[in-house]
Amino acid sequence: MSESLSSETVTLTLEARAHGWRLDHYLTRLYPNYSRAAFQKAVEQGAIQVNGVSVKAGRRLKVNDHLSVRLPEAADETLPPENIPLEILYEDESLIVINKAADMIVHPGKGNYRGTLAGALQFHFNNLSDVAGKLRPGIVHRLDRDTTGVIVIAKDNQVHGRLSAQFEAREVTKEYRALAWGEVKFDSGLIETHLRVDPRNREKMQVCEPGGNSREAVTRYEVLERFPRATYVRLLPKTGRTHQLRVHMQSLGNTLLADSLYGGRSPVMVNDVLPRGANRPADASRVLIERQALHAFRLAFKHPMSGASMEFEAPFHADMQQTLEFLRTI
């Protein structure tokens, strides 16, 4: 970490998902281009306070704690711009709304520093918020690598803060569309669980009992169409936990198509979705989709500066569209 600290103080209010986290762990997760050791040193220098008081790096945080953070002048790493095409749904002086492609990580992490949405944003836009660090320019929220659909980007820190506040207060309406294996039993319902990291595979989440490091997760679902071996569903998450929708559909016994991490076969071919006993067509081995069939279809929020209600819908990408269209023919 640079010995000099920024003269600008970043103020944060702790969100519910981080309740109980260590201060240094939380800041490292929020600003991944700084090391944990860098934040521990900043704490020792008095550059980070909680509720106006200097604390230790291991201090356990609580919901609504107020953090004041002075970051180093130079980050540990930089993010190179990448000329990756983006599907822009909307842009004004405050924000950008994008239909994210599949196989695109939102921001770098775990050695994945190329081919990210963050790198593409650096190339295409001159001004983006940096409140979340140089590896997350403009990034207010995230989607999984292979989840497509609507994502909103902030152009400055004030916009970023106001959008983040809407997400934290659950004032943002998020609607996803998904294709799941099998027959979803009920036409609609509410899934209420707690989730935690799977101790046997830390890339996965699992349903668990309340307590410990678990977090409440709530999803409303509605069946849109039924097919012989799959179901088309609308998913309305009330919370925003990692892999929430994928785990919740698995908990119903209806893993998403092509979601190999949670037990769904991938890729999905024509033959896989045909009714049992159906004649095998000439194109039976044609691949329909190779990644989880999950799409962030709609996002609604208030404009962070004008307060006007805004709503955006993202069209399906080709793989999910062709899968849905084929299912409608059988």
Side-chain angles (χ1 to χ4, degrees):
M1 183 177 99
S2 170
E3 291 299 321
S4 60
L5 294 164
S6 171
S7 59
E8 179 184 358
T9 299
V10 178
T11 57
L12 306 164
T13 300
L14 192 81
E15 65 268 36
R17 71 176 178 87
H19 178 80
W21 290 13
R22 284 174 54 114
L23 173 62
D24 53 354
H25 288 179
Y26 173 66
L27 291 172
T28 303
R29 182 127 177 202
L30 194 63
Y31 301 101
N33 47 331
Y34 295 99
S35 68
R36 183 178 166 195
F39 280 119
Q40 290 172 341
K41 186 172 182 180
V43 168
E44 292 174 0
Q45 294 174 334
I48 299 171
Q49 296 185 333
V50 179
N51 300 324
V53 178
S54 295
V55 295
K56 294 183 178 180
R59 202 265 204 190
R60 297 287 176 177
L61 299 172
K62 299 179 181 179
V63 177
N64 294 326
D65 272 348
H66 296 289
L67 280 63
S68 299
V69 182
R70 289 172 59 205
L71 296 170
E73 290 286 1
D76 294 337
E77 300 179 60
T78 59
L79 180 66
E82 294 186 76
N83 186 8
I84 302 171
L86 294 174
E87 182 181 348
I88 299 171
L89 301 175
Y90 174 84
E91 181 184 0
D92 64 19
E93 68 281 357
S94 300
L95 55 86
I96 311 141
V97 181
I98 290 169
N99 185 3
K100 188 185 85 66
D103 194 26
M104 176 181 276
I105 299 170
V106 171
H107 55 74
K110 297 183 179 179
N112 296 305
Y113 286 91
R114 306 293 295 181
T116 67
L117 175 61
L121 291 169
Q122 288 278 56
F123 180 89
H124 291 286
F125 301 99
N126 293 325
N127 298 313
L128 295 167
S129 70
D130 62 4
V131 68
K134 295 185 182 299
L135 292 185
R136 301 188 183 192
I139 305 297
V140 179
H141 62 123
R142 63 182 296 276
L143 297 173
D144 292 342
R145 177 176 189 153
D146 282 325
T147 298
T148 54
V150 186
I151 187 167
V152 62
I153 306 300
K155 286 190 172 181
D156 63 50
N157 289 353
Q158 184 179 30
V159 169
H160 191 125
R162 292 183 180 184
L163 285 171
S164 294
Q166 290 186 55
F167 276 94
E168 285 303 318
R170 299 181 185 176
E171 296 170 349
V172 176
T173 299
K174 296 176 283 185
E175 177 182 337
Y176 290 72
R177 300 290 177 89
L179 295 169
W181 285 113
E183 179 183 359
V184 175
K185 184 175 181 181
F186 299 106
D187 288 339
S188 63
L190 186 68
I191 308 170
E192 297 180 279
T193 71
H194 278 69
L195 300 180
R196 69 175 181 186
V197 174
D198 186 336
R200 293 170 297 182
N201 181 350
R202 298 193 66 81
E203 293 185 1
K204 297 175 62 176
M205 302 296 289
Q206 66 176 195
V207 172
C208 65
E209 295 297 321
N213 292 324
S214 71
R215 294 290 181 266
E216 180 189 29
V218 182
T219 304
R220 186 171 296 281
Y221 70 89
E222 177 186 349
V223 171
L224 297 176
E225 295 181 62
R226 296 182 182 276
F227 309 106
R229 299 186 67 181
T231 307
Y232 178 32
V233 293
R234 172 187 290 127
L235 299 171
L236 302 168
K238 303 302 179 185
T239 54
R241 311 304 179 201
T242 300
H243 296 184
Q244 174 177 317
L245 302 180
R246 299 164 67 185
V247 178
H248 273 175
M249 291 308 298
Q250 181 195 44
S251 75
L252 293 182
N254 302 102
T255 301
L256 299 185
L257 266 63
D259 191 353
S260 57
L261 185 62
Y262 289 98
R265 69 174 68 91
S266 179
V268 174
M269 296 180 288
V270 166
N271 193 57
D272 297 322
V273 297
L274 292 175
R276 289 177 174 82
N279 293 330
R280 182 181 174 90
D283 67 345
S285 60
R286 176 166 62 92
V287 172
L288 294 172
I289 191 166
E290 299 183 78
R291 50 93 185 179
Q292 71 257 12
L294 182 63
H295 179 72
F297 177 71
R298 185 168 67 93
L299 192 69
F301 54 89
K302 292 188 182 300
H303 193 281
M305 303 308 291
S306 70
S309 296
M310 308 189 79
E311 181 175 311
F312 301 95
E313 292 184 359
F316 284 166
H317 289 251
D319 56 355
M320 193 159 166
Q321 184 64 38
Q322 75 170 352
T323 306
L324 181 58
E325 288 176 356
F326 181 77
L327 289 169
R328 286 170 172 163
T329 68
I330 57 178

